[in-house]
Amino acid sequence: NSYDFFFLSCIHTKQFQNAYETLDFILNHTRFSSRPDNSIEKWKLYEAYCAYLGEMGEIKVPDQKKFKVAKFINEVPLYTSEKRTRNIPILIIQTLFLFLHRRYDDAIDRADSLNLYCSRYLKKDASFRSNCFIKMLIKIIEADFHPVAARRKAAGLHKKLNTVPLEVAKQIYEIEIIPYEDLWELAIESLDN
């Protein structure tokens, strides 16, 4: 879909406001609700990432368009094989919202399931970058949400992540909605807020 491509191109080139305007156009389109379920799910996920960018001050979101973060965090992704790849960006953005909203106890509770998910589903193949990034998020938890300690603990993983740039990674482009290098900086910044 050309809107998909345009949205992700805007996100990957940090034209976040353009990405948001595309998202807003799609979500408010008269035929949005008649789209296939997987398409609706995908755009709702994009909405979560835009909401995060909005809360981080990267996008101006009108007040009446508030995303229901608490509801989104409490939704449990289904771990069926065909949904496995779609679960990666869901788990990541839910964890980032926990950090941003200072829900540290919930983030600590989630660390075990993130570790389990990495060991069970993420291998060195197509999900190498996702595996590195989720482990970097776990390092934030292990560092007691201290930004300097988190950077130090995740340095090795950060280096590994950089050995496989997004352009050469053999993963589905919809998994890494915001490049992990950019998302890492936002995650660390959210700890400073």
Side-chain angles (χ1 to χ4, degrees):
N1 178 315
S2 60
Y3 284 111
D4 256 350
F5 181 75
F6 182 73
F7 174 85
L8 291 169
S9 296
C10 288
I11 289 285
H12 285 239
T13 55
K14 295 186 178 179
Q15 296 173 45
F16 299 136
Q17 199 64 41
N18 288 344
Y20 174 74
E21 286 162 16
T22 304
L23 170 84
D24 195 47
F25 172 77
I26 294 292
L27 294 182
N28 292 303
H29 196 280
T30 51
R31 291 198 302 263
F32 179 71
S33 57
S34 61
R35 294 177 73 105
D37 285 350
N38 63 340
S39 176
I40 291 173
E41 256 179 50
K42 180 175 45 187
W43 283 98
K44 290 292 189 185
L45 183 57
Y46 293 167
E47 182 184 23
Y49 276 81
C50 281
Y52 179 75
L53 289 170
E55 288 195 32
M56 289 298 297
E58 299 289 335
I59 294 177
K60 288 179 183 63
V61 181
D63 285 340
Q64 73 271 21
K65 306 243 176 175
K66 283 292 176 210
F67 182 74
K68 292 168 181 57
V69 174
K71 181 179 185 273
F72 178 76
I73 289 173
N74 293 327
E75 287 174 354
V76 179
L78 301 168
Y79 296 109
T80 59
S81 56
E82 69 274 2
K83 293 213 178 204
R84 200 172 296 155
T85 52
R86 180 83 40 85
N87 288 334
I88 295 167
I90 294 171
L91 290 170
I92 287 171
I93 196 64
Q94 286 178 332
T95 304
L96 292 173
F97 272 126
L98 290 175
F99 294 167
L100 183 60
H101 288 244
R102 303 273 181 266
R103 290 178 55 182
Y104 295 146
D105 289 342
D106 294 334
I108 291 165
D109 291 345
R110 187 159 290 196
D112 288 340
S113 60
L114 287 172
N115 263 321
L116 184 65
Y117 192 83
C118 274
S119 65
R120 190 173 294 166
Y121 298 122
L122 300 174
K123 304 291 176 240
K124 269 208 185 281
D125 56 3
S127 52
F128 177 77
R129 284 178 57 85
S130 297
N131 203 349
C132 286
F133 188 69
I134 291 174
K135 287 179 178 173
M136 288 165 71
L137 294 179
I138 293 166
K139 293 296 180 194
I140 289 177
I141 298 167
E142 290 172 3
D144 284 329
F145 310 98
H146 190 277
V148 177
R151 274 195 200 278
R152 191 176 59 245
K153 280 181 169 281
L157 288 163
H158 197 264
K159 203 171 188 175
K160 275 186 185 177
L161 179 72
N162 289 325
T163 64
V164 182
L166 181 57
E167 302 77 54
V168 298
K170 294 179 176 74
Q171 70 179 8
I172 304 166
Y173 70 95
E174 293 165 352
I175 292 177
E176 194 168 334
I177 295 169
I178 297 174
Y180 292 146
E181 292 83 355
D182 298 339
L183 214 45
W184 176 248
E185 292 308 318
L186 289 168
I188 294 296
E189 188 186 315
S190 78
L191 304 176
D192 290 334
N193 285 345

